Each structure stands twice: as structure tokens, then as C-alpha cells.
Amino acid sequence: MGHDTMMAVPKPRTPVVAMIGGGQLARMTHQAAIALGQNLRVLAEGADDPAAQVTPNVVLGSHTDLEDLRRVAAGADVLTFDHEHVPAELLDKLVAEGVSVAPPPHALVHAQDKLIMRHRLQELGVPVPRYVGIDRLDGLAELDAFAGRVDAPLVVKAVRGGYDGRGVRMARDLADARDIARDYLAGGVPVLVEERVQLRRELSALVARSPFGQGAAWPVVETVQRNGICVLVIAPAPALSDDSAGAAQRLALRLAAELGVVGVLAVELFETTEGTLVVNELAMRPHNSGHWTMDGSRTSQFEQHLRAVLDYPLGDTDAIVPVTVMANVLGAAQPPAMALDERLHHLLARMPDARVHLYGKMERPGRKVGHINLLGMDPASVAVLGERAELAAHWLSHGQWTDGWDPHAVGDDGERGEAKERRI
């Protein structure tokens, strides 16, 4: 058959998922989309955003501009999120215009507004810290009355916009709580004042829900926070009873259904010193506490989020090893002289089992620039895995081994450190 008589093969249409935000969550969701024969369309602020570096399908614009939102949503099967900061009134307009938004605005508002979330959870009988909401400067007397009732240390939170420790302040005393609240309120930001829960540790219950109503839950994990930022995740949470783990998973699945969530939902929990579970925060998108699933679960949170928003059958959430530890790589106060690529070289030489995920972000103090997963076959190895994960993360951040390892030193046996690295 001659070339001019050959029939053109139609290009199969694949679903188009658009994600608002071009950060690392969108970048890793794009990685999952590739395996499903897709690529993720992202609304990014700049061409150097983590997701914009890797997907060919980029719309540059702002999540607060309706026209930019319309451009990224045009022709997409579903519009979803890398972050929760899109104004609800703009999302309502998109829904009115026929755009499929997942999670829908009426669900997402519970991750956007801490006070709405607290009210709704209380209505559902879900344990939350005692709280009071204040939206005006002349309402500070309510703070005084609340402090008198709870007789406990206070936490002051911005009702909207906070993340990674931002917008959350631990008050030293009542006067400090008043000053913090006054600062927020003077800037037009309502506050949520809560009792500081006496906690044993923080946990996260990660689930997914599809429009069809199918739900799936991963093992409950422990999260370790420093300065309001998650530094370590242990999956599953050590020494968590089956009853408590099951209760946390059922609670998260119930909230996903009650709130109408579509996609991944992270329910951040406090385990109190008395052993009870109290809900702290909600996130309706892939979440830092679920990064371990990229290597430690049969289905990653990023693939599952795509399956859920496209109403595909959800994937198996079982862990593939007895324990996985994830450590965040945070930008150092002073970026090291050694290039990141050279740091990566030495890390992989010393720890060939490290699963490294870098986000393509400029290093800045405290900024999440990547994470490392380590998998263990022995549940008793949690402490060792945690130490190794933090050692690796610190090396990538600072270019220094905290155990004194020197890859360039020559040992008594005459071997240089690099040679020994490959046998550790």
C-alpha cells in the first residue's frame, strides 16, 4: 500500500486532569499520570515551578484569577488541587459553568476554613480541641472568657491560609494570646483559639474516595513535627493498637463520605496522653504524610488521587514492607557549598537503598526541597530506619554527615571513604 493511501491512525483520547498549583504535589501527581498514559495539566505561577519543569501541559497564571482558572479548566475532565488556597467564590463560578471540580467546593471549604471545619466536625460528633472563633477586634473579650473556661495553654491559628506551621502560634500566656490574635485581626484575618492538647504524638489517617463512593484507607502513620513542619513519617505508626488504627481509618472514611470529598483526604490527628484521638486538621489533596506511599504502598497517594477524581476503581493500599520511614529534606539556613547533585551522589553511594525524591526547587531555609523513603523488613528496625532517614535528609540539606562520616577520608586500611560507601 502506498504511503499516500495509508489511513491515519486516530490518536486515542485520554482523560485530561487539570491541577491548580504547580508545586511538588502536582509534580508527583504528573509522575503518576504518566503511568496511566496521561499527562497532568497544571496552573503554575511560573515556568520554574516544580510541576511546570516536568509536564508539557502548563498554563501560567494565578489561582486567584477567574480567567486563568477557566483557561486551565477548559476541556478538562476534572479540575483538582495542589493546594487549598483558591477562593471558594471562584470555584462556585466554575461549577456553575459546568466544570467538574474534585473535591467540590462544598467539601473543600472544610480544608480552607478552620472555623467552618471545627463547627462541622463538632456537629458530626467528632472529637476536636475546645475552641472559640473570633472575627473582630472587639471580640477579644471572648478569648478571655474562653481561657477562663479551659484553663489550659492556648494555640492561636489564622482561620485561613496557614500551612507548614505558618498561621499557627503557641501562646506563652493569655496576654500573649491576646497580642497574637490582635495582630491577625488587625490584618483582617479571623482567628481560631484552641486549647493546646496534651498529646503523646501526632498521627495521620490518609484515605481516598471516588465519586462512586468507593473508599480506600492506607495504614495510619505517625508524623514527627519540629517548628510546625513535618520532618519524619513512620508507616505504620509504631505501637498503635489495631483498635485505635481501625478507629482512625473508619473516622477518616466517614468524614470523606459526610463531607463529600472526592480524591485524597488526610485527617491529621492528635493522640492524647490518655490514648484518645482528636482531629487537628484536614487536607483534601495528596499530603506530606502520604509521601511514603510512593515506595512503601502498592498504590501511591498520587496515583490514587488520579484514580479517585477520574472515578476509576481505587487501588490496593496495603504496605509492601513492614515499615517505611519518610524524611523531609528541608533547605538549610546556609546552603552548602557542595552542589546538590554531588550530595546526591554521596548519599546514593553510602545508602543505595534510599529512595530519593527531589522537587526541582531552589534551596531556601526550611523549604521542602525533597524527601527520602527507607523501607524495612523488620518492624523492630523503626528506630534504626528513622536515624538513617534523618542522617540522609540532613546530608542532602547541609552537606554534612552528623555521624562524622567523611567520604574523602582515607582509613587505616588505605581505602578512601567513597569505596566503603558502596558497601554500607
Side-chain angles (χ1 to χ4, degrees):
M1 181 180 293
H3 178 76
D4 58 344
T5 60
M6 291 178 63
M7 295 182 61
V9 178
K11 182 179 179 181
R13 185 190 182 281
T14 58
V16 176
V17 177
M19 182 169 272
I20 299 172
Q24 66 261 26
L25 301 181
R27 181 185 179 106
M28 291 182 277
T29 305
H30 172 64
Q31 290 176 255
I34 292 170
L36 300 179
Q38 305 166 18
N39 66 75
L40 190 71
R41 181 191 298 168
V42 300
L43 177 65
E45 292 183 352
D48 61 345
D49 282 4
Q53 296 172 24
V54 296
T55 178
N57 206 343
V58 180
V59 174
L60 295 179
S62 169
H63 63 272
T64 61
D65 185 288
L66 180 58
E67 289 308 314
D68 290 342
L69 295 173
R70 284 172 171 152
R71 285 194 297 132
V72 76
D77 293 71
V78 64
L79 181 69
T80 188
F81 305 93
D82 165 276
H83 60 75
E84 294 102 340
H85 306 312
V86 186
E89 60 271 18
L90 300 187
L91 293 177
D92 288 336
K93 289 180 180 178
L94 294 179
V95 170
E97 294 169 5
V99 176
S100 175
V101 176
H106 66 79
L108 186 65
V109 68
H110 298 93
Q112 294 177 318
D113 189 301
K114 291 179 174 62
L115 192 54
I116 291 175
M117 179 263 291
R118 284 283 182 264
H119 287 333
R120 182 69 175 126
L121 294 189
Q122 204 167 39
E123 289 173 1
L124 293 172
V126 174
V128 296
R130 289 175 291 176
Y131 70 91
V132 65
I134 303 170
D135 60 5
R136 62 192 189 282
L137 280 168
D138 61 3
L140 287 175
E142 298 176 50
L143 193 160
D144 297 341
F146 174 73
R149 290 197 304 275
V150 301
D151 191 26
L154 301 177
V155 181
V156 184
K157 300 180 178 181
V159 165
R160 287 176 171 262
Y163 68 99
D164 277 353
R166 299 175 182 88
V168 177
R169 304 268 300 276
M170 304 293 180
R172 295 186 301 272
D173 50 33
L174 177 56
D176 190 38
R178 286 178 61 90
D179 289 343
I180 296 168
R182 187 181 293 109
D183 287 345
Y184 282 131
L185 292 166
V189 179
V191 296
L192 179 72
V193 182
E194 296 182 343
E195 63 174 327
R196 192 184 309 177
V197 176
Q198 297 300 307
L199 58 92
R200 178 181 299 162
R201 58 178 169 175
E202 296 190 44
L203 304 171
S204 178
L206 195 74
V207 299
R209 180 177 178 272
S210 71
F212 181 72
Q214 184 185 11
W218 285 272
V220 178
V221 303
E222 178 177 347
T223 65
V224 179
Q225 318 283 328
R226 293 188 193 125
N227 299 317
I229 300 177
C230 177
V231 294
L232 208 66
V233 172
I234 305 167
L240 183 67
S241 71
D242 290 343
D243 286 347
S244 292
Q249 289 175 315
R250 289 191 296 274
L251 172 61
L253 288 169
R254 177 190 163 209
L255 289 178
E258 293 274 11
L259 302 179
V261 175
V262 173
V264 166
L265 167 69
V267 180
E268 298 180 51
L269 299 156
F270 294 140
E271 182 183 19
T272 71
T273 52
E274 298 175 348
T276 58
L277 298 180
V278 176
V279 174
N280 178 32
E281 302 281 0
L282 302 179
M284 296 180 189
R285 51 169 170 75
H287 190 256
N288 195 199
S289 68
H291 289 353
W292 71 274
T293 63
M294 297 179 76
D295 300 298
S297 171
R298 296 191 184 281
T299 307
S300 81
Q301 65 166 341
F302 300 102
E303 178 183 336
Q304 195 81 299
H305 189 72
L306 288 170
R307 288 190 186 211
V309 300
L310 289 169
D311 210 7
Y312 289 173
L314 299 183
D316 186 345
T317 51
D318 285 349
I320 61 173
V321 290
V323 59
T324 301
V325 174
M326 186 282 295
N328 278 319
V329 179
L330 306 175
Q334 294 293 329
M338 185 185 296
L340 181 58
D341 183 63
E342 186 177 355
R343 283 174 265 156
L344 178 63
H345 174 97
H346 288 299
L347 172 62
L348 296 179
R350 188 177 185 191
M351 298 184 184
D353 61 325
R355 311 292 180 89
V356 181
H357 302 271
L358 297 176
Y359 307 153
K361 297 166 79 170
M362 293 293 292
E363 295 176 80
R364 292 204 298 262
R367 190 184 200 193
K368 292 176 184 173
V369 296
H371 71 271
I372 298 165
N373 287 331
L374 289 175
L375 281 62
M377 296 305 297
D378 181 2
S381 68
V382 167
V384 174
L385 273 183
E387 290 173 4
R388 292 181 69 229
E390 293 210 76
L391 184 72
H394 189 276
W395 165 256
L396 274 187
S397 296
H398 297 79
Q400 297 174 340
W401 292 110
T402 54
D403 62 351
W405 176 264
D406 182 356
H408 299 294
V410 177
D412 294 338
D413 55 7
E415 281 196 300
R416 292 179 65 83
E418 293 100 324
K420 289 186 177 180
E421 280 181 336
R422 290 169 171 78
R423 295 202 297 273
I424 290 179

